[in-house]
């Protein structure tokens, strides 16, 4: 009931803004970064890419994307590993329909791993890559970067050293995967908490930033679905409510 009332408020806010202004508005730019470092094998790559594709086709996720047609979400997806490997899997696309999300899901399912000579884990470089892409979406009310990963950074700038000036107010959320990667025997279930703590201490940015966890790569789809539902609605609601009050 409360959620329905808030959506009515948002709809009224958009109406008050006028059709032309609303049609030109982006409520959130969302960049999703998938970990393809050396600890991720081909099977785990597919679980991430296909899991994200399935999450984008979930009815609740699609409802979150499409909740405010006058203020759409823009979505971009990339993979990351070393200092120099960040590959765009799906460029910026404004989401206006379930078909838009279906096209991205199809693209993800067709994606194959790239050959990376040094598949180290450069979270700092991934954050900076995402920040550059997001800061180009200047007309969006909020900019959100998601960094999925199954281990801490081991090369390049430490995430804690990425400055606020470089991030320019971007919210950074996390999706921590672990600990059952066969290609990295140093990971175990006890390390799950320390990796979660690592993300919370060094990777997350912004007042409402949060981390979801996937106990194994098989849980990635479910964790991604939870994360997308959680992060898409609050920013839209609060911003639209403020616009509605200003327009009165």
């Amino acid at each position: 009931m409360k959620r329905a009332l808030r959506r009515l408020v948002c709809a009224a806010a958009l109406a008050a803004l006028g059709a032309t202004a609303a049609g030109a508005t982006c409520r959130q730019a969302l960049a999703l970064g998938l970990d393809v470092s050396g600890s991720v094998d081909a099977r785990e790559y597919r679980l991430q890419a296909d899991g994200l594709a399935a999450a984008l086709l979930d009815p609740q996720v699609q409802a979150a994307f499409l909740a405010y047609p006058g203020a759409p979400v823009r979505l971009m997806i990339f993979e990351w590993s070393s200092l120099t490997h960040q590959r765009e899997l799906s460029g910026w696309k404004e989401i206006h329909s379930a078909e838009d999300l279906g096209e991205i899901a199809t693209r993800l399912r067709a994606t194959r791993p790239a050959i990376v000579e040094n598949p180290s884990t450069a979270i700092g470089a991934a954050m900076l890559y995402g920040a550059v892409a997001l800061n180009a979406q200047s007309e969006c009310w909020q900019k959100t970067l998601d960094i999925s990963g199954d281990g801490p950074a081991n090369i390049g700038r430490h995430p804690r050293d990425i400055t606020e000036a470089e991030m320019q107010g971007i919210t950074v959320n996390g999706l921590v995967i672990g600990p059952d990667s066969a290609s990295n025997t140093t990971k175990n279930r006890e390390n799950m908490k320390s990796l979660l703590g690592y993300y919370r201490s060094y990777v997350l940015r912004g007042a409402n930033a949060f981390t979801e966890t996937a106990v194994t790569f098989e849980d990635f789809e479910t964790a991604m679905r939870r994360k997308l539902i959680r992060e898409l609605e609050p920013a839209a609601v609060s911003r639209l409510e403020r616009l509605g009050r200003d327009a009165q």
Side-chain angles (χ1 to χ4, degrees):
M1 184 69 177
K2 184 177 180 182
R3 178 174 293 182
L5 179 61
R6 292 175 66 163
R7 286 186 173 176
L8 285 174
V9 170
C10 293
L14 283 174
L17 286 173
T20 301
T25 297
C26 160
R27 79 175 187 264
Q28 187 174 13
L30 176 61
L32 307 178
L34 305 181
D35 181 4
V36 297
S37 58
S39 60
V40 177
D41 61 25
R43 172 179 165 276
E44 292 161 346
Y45 184 97
R46 288 260 52 89
L47 286 169
Q48 285 188 88
D50 294 346
L52 175 54
L56 293 176
L57 298 179
D58 178 82
Q60 285 185 283
V61 171
Q62 294 194 344
F65 269 102
L66 304 174
Y68 310 108
V73 174
R74 292 180 188 170
L75 178 64
M76 188 270 275
I77 302 166
F78 68 98
E79 66 181 30
W80 63 272
S81 61
S82 65
L83 289 172
T84 58
H85 181 77
Q86 300 91 29
R87 180 173 68 138
E88 189 177 276
L89 302 182
S90 180
W92 286 112
K93 185 174 182 63
E94 202 161 84
I95 306 302
H96 293 282
S97 67
E99 287 73 21
D100 289 336
L101 291 169
E103 289 176 10
I104 296 172
T106 298
R107 190 174 302 125
L108 288 170
R109 286 172 171 160
T111 298
R112 295 294 177 265
I115 297 174
V116 184
E117 292 184 2
N118 176 22
S120 48
T121 306
I123 297 178
M127 292 172 65
L128 290 173
Y129 178 87
V132 170
L134 283 160
N135 285 325
Q137 305 301 307
S138 58
E139 62 273 35
C140 294
W141 296 336
Q142 184 178 16
K143 303 177 185 69
T144 304
L145 172 63
D146 283 324
I147 297 292
S148 300
D150 74 337
N154 58 25
I155 194 172
R157 289 173 65 185
H158 195 287
R160 70 177 167 228
D161 297 328
I162 306 300
T163 68
E164 289 305 313
E166 290 170 306
M167 298 308 293
Q168 297 186 33
I170 292 169
T171 297
V172 182
N173 295 328
L175 199 166
V176 173
I177 312 162
D180 294 331
S181 172
S183 61
N184 188 340
T185 57
T186 65
K187 294 187 180 120
N188 54 49
R189 293 193 179 275
E190 285 69 33
N191 277 342
M192 179 65 171
K193 291 183 179 178
S194 65
L195 181 58
L196 180 58
Y198 180 91
Y199 264 67
R200 286 174 172 168
S201 297
Y202 306 127
V203 179
L204 302 193
R205 301 294 174 93
N208 298 313
F210 67 94
T211 302
E212 284 289 350
T213 58
V215 176
T216 68
F217 278 88
E218 284 79 1
D219 300 317
F220 182 86
E221 175 188 335
T222 300
M224 177 61 75
R225 185 169 63 244
R226 288 196 309 265
K227 184 181 62 56
L228 289 171
I229 292 170
R230 180 176 175 181
E231 71 191 346
L232 284 170
E233 187 161 59
V237 170
S238 60
R239 175 65 172 172
L240 286 170
E241 286 176 340
R242 288 197 300 274
L243 285 171
R245 289 194 296 270
D246 294 343
Q248 293 175 353

